[in-house]
Amino acid sequence: MNLLKSLFHSRDKPKNYLISGFSFLFGSTTSGKNVNEKTAMQTTAVYACVRILSETIASLPLHIYRHSENGKEKAIQHRLYRLLHDEPNSEMTSFVFRETLMSHLLLWGNAYAQIIRDGRGNVVSLYPLLPDRMTVDRNSKGELFYEYHKESGSVVLRKEEVLHIPGLGFDGLIGYSPIAMAKNAIGMAIATEEYGARFFANGASPGGVLEHPGVVKDPKRIRDSWNDVYQGSANAHRIAVLEEGMKFQPISIPPEQAQFIATRKYQLNEIARIFRIPPHMIGDLEKSSFSNIEQQSLEYVKYTLDPWVVRWEMSLQRALLTEPEKQEYFIKLNVDGLLRGDYQSRMNGYAVGRQNGWLSANDIRELEDLNRIPENLGGDLYLINGNMTKLQDAGLFSKNFETEGELSEKEVLELGEK
């Protein structure tokens, strides 16, 4: 074990290889467009995917729980409860804090927050840190530390002072940017969007050539004169007057021949694939219907959201709970509300649980965010249908009737109660 530990600590410092080690993976793409976190967010599909995931994580109920004899209970008195549920610091709500960190995680592959502790080591506040200003390194003892670069200099933070949520990465310590990994797909989306914008800025007409039968002494003057009158969407459909036998010949490929619409739609699905977002959630309803949208939404929770939720929960527990507390407490993001079906499906499910004795009236009311029924009115009772009986008692009534003959009304009622 000691040998393995020393080998682990002797490794090179962790890197986001797509930023520091191989900077060529950012920047220009095969489409000729520069792609980074900021330019990618100007693409509507990327913005929509990042917004959906960030707002979903931010809106989930976040609680700290304590293991109890009956299973679990909310640890409302714990110092972290209000910090995580309401306000991680004096400047932002829990929603804004989680939304910010999740957007960092989706764009840069890493999310960082500074942990402020009091003299006893208790966490008192959390502040987001920008991933592009953070460097992770090891000291001479092999221990991780974080160096945050500010305009006025840099600050070194110990690992106990940083909440770090890494995305998928090469070494398990630093995540790499999804934007860098898929820069060509995003670059093509930017290029097609810019092509469409320029096409309409040019009056929705392709470029072309002005042909003159003779020799033109000043072609620049003719070109500028033509552009001043006919170029731009404001000048679309104006009547052109050609002098001295000139002709206009379009030379660009019309958008319908270049499959412009199909390309834009395909790139939308490409970007949705990067973030594993169902296309209908970012506005593509081509393959969606009333019968399958609910199923796609449930798959979004199961296959897209759940891995992010587990990543968040484990990172929060590792960074914020002490070693003794980890045996007693745990942090959970509740996705039950997203998994609920429509009203009729929920009522049918509650009815099955109520009739089979594993749900009480108050259990159901809590799931529906309703006030509890007082205990003296039977709100906590677990009931089953009267026609349910044990297997070994099946046929007992008819057997007794055959052997003992005709029974009195009182005996029938007593036997029925049994």
Side-chain angles (χ1 to χ4, degrees):
M1 178 63 71
N2 292 334
L3 176 61
L4 291 176
K5 185 176 181 180
S6 63
L7 289 174
F8 181 81
H9 282 175
S10 66
R11 296 191 304 174
D12 292 337
K13 69 177 183 179
K15 287 183 179 180
N16 185 333
Y17 293 97
L18 299 181
I19 296 178
S20 54
F22 297 93
S23 59
F24 63 85
L25 287 177
F26 274 112
S28 183
T29 62
T30 51
S31 63
K33 301 301 175 184
N34 288 327
V35 174
N36 54 45
E37 290 84 359
K38 293 181 175 60
T39 59
M41 282 290 281
Q42 296 175 5
T43 304
T44 56
V46 174
Y47 182 86
C49 290
V50 171
R51 182 179 179 183
I52 288 169
L53 280 170
S54 298
E55 291 181 345
T56 303
I57 289 292
S59 61
L60 293 177
L62 176 59
H63 303 287
I64 179 169
Y65 290 90
R66 177 179 175 273
H67 295 288
S68 65
E69 296 180 355
N70 297 325
K72 65 179 182 180
E73 61 183 10
K74 292 180 182 178
I76 299 177
Q77 303 303 323
H78 196 281
R79 63 184 182 279
L80 288 176
Y81 188 89
R82 183 178 178 277
L83 199 72
L84 297 175
H85 185 267
D86 299 320
E87 298 180 6
N89 57 66
S90 60
E91 299 174 354
M92 59 185 65
T93 63
S94 177
F95 182 97
V96 173
F97 175 79
R98 284 183 278 157
E99 182 185 44
T100 301
L101 287 192
M102 190 62 189
S103 65
H104 292 172
L105 191 53
L106 294 169
L107 294 172
W108 279 277
N110 295 277
Y112 303 95
Q114 184 180 5
I115 303 174
I116 306 297
R117 301 179 186 270
D118 60 16
R120 297 182 179 180
N122 297 325
V123 180
V124 294
S125 57
L126 300 167
Y127 287 91
L129 299 172
L130 292 174
D132 56 344
R133 295 187 179 183
M134 183 69 77
T135 300
V136 186
D137 206 340
R138 294 186 186 274
N139 59 21
S140 58
K141 298 181 180 180
E143 298 174 343
L144 288 174
F145 69 88
Y146 297 81
E147 186 174 3
Y148 191 67
H149 304 278
K150 303 190 299 181
E151 296 179 359
S152 58
S154 60
V155 177
V156 176
L157 302 170
R158 294 177 292 111
K159 62 179 181 179
E160 294 82 7
E161 298 176 298
V162 176
L163 165 63
H164 179 197
I165 308 174
L168 180 65
F170 290 111
D171 55 10
L173 298 173
I174 302 294
Y176 51 75
S177 169
I179 303 301
M181 290 297 294
K183 67 170 188 175
N184 281 326
I186 297 173
M188 190 170 181
I190 295 174
T192 54
E193 188 171 336
E194 184 176 321
Y195 172 83
R198 291 185 180 277
F199 175 73
F200 285 102
N202 195 38
S205 299
V209 175
L210 284 172
E211 295 182 352
H212 194 280
V215 178
V216 178
K217 296 181 180 179
D218 192 358
K220 183 178 182 303
R221 180 185 62 82
I222 297 177
R223 181 176 60 249
D224 292 343
S225 175
W226 175 272
N227 288 338
D228 290 342
V229 178
Y230 304 110
Q231 189 179 45
S233 57
N235 298 321
H237 309 297
R238 297 187 68 174
I239 298 175
V241 178
L242 301 177
E243 302 178 4
E244 301 177 0
M246 287 193 298
K247 296 180 180 179
F248 177 78
Q249 282 291 113
I251 60 173
S252 297
I253 302 176
E256 63 273 11
Q257 295 182 20
Q259 295 184 329
F260 170 69
I261 300 298
T263 301
R264 289 210 65 186
K265 184 176 294 186
Y266 180 77
Q267 289 312 116
L268 185 146
N269 288 324
E270 279 282 274
I271 293 172
R273 187 179 296 119
I274 297 168
F275 295 98
R276 207 187 297 166
I277 297 290
H280 79 270
M281 297 187 73
I282 58 174
D284 183 5
L285 300 174
E286 182 178 3
K287 296 182 180 179
S288 298
S289 63
F290 289 108
S291 60
N292 67 9
I293 276 188
E294 183 177 355
Q295 183 61 36
Q296 290 183 53
S297 299
L298 294 177
E299 290 178 355
Y300 161 72
V301 176
K302 183 176 180 180
Y303 299 113
T304 302
L305 202 60
D306 264 358
W308 289 114
V309 166
V310 174
R311 194 184 298 271
W312 267 83
E313 291 172 346
M314 290 188 170
S315 297
L316 290 171
Q317 290 171 184
R318 182 188 61 81
L320 303 181
L321 295 178
T322 63
E323 289 302 321
E325 286 179 334
K326 291 176 184 178
Q327 306 299 320
E328 185 178 2
Y329 298 94
F330 64 96
I331 298 170
K332 184 175 179 59
L333 285 160
N334 193 344
V335 299
D336 291 344
L338 299 178
L339 292 172
R340 297 196 306 175
D342 55 49
Y343 184 80
Q344 181 179 357
S345 300
R346 297 201 311 275
M347 294 304 107
N348 291 337
Y350 294 151
V352 172
R354 179 71 166 149
Q355 293 167 11
N356 288 279
W358 52 272
L359 280 179
S360 68
N362 281 336
D363 292 336
I364 297 172
R365 293 180 70 85
E366 286 183 357
L367 291 172
E368 288 294 314
D369 199 23
L370 299 172
N371 293 331
R372 294 173 59 87
I373 297 175
E375 186 175 355
N376 61 343
L377 296 180
D380 293 319
L381 291 178
Y382 292 89
L383 310 173
I384 60 171
N385 282 326
N387 59 355
M388 300 289 287
T389 184
K390 292 183 293 184
L391 183 62
Q392 60 265 33
D393 294 338
L396 182 62
F397 180 86
S398 59
K399 180 179 179 181
N400 290 336
F401 183 81
E402 292 175 355
T403 56
E404 297 181 10
E406 189 172 339
L407 301 175
S408 66
E409 182 178 354
K410 181 179 179 182
E411 290 174 330
V412 170
L413 292 176
E414 290 178 351
L415 185 59
E417 290 177 357
K418 293 179 181 180

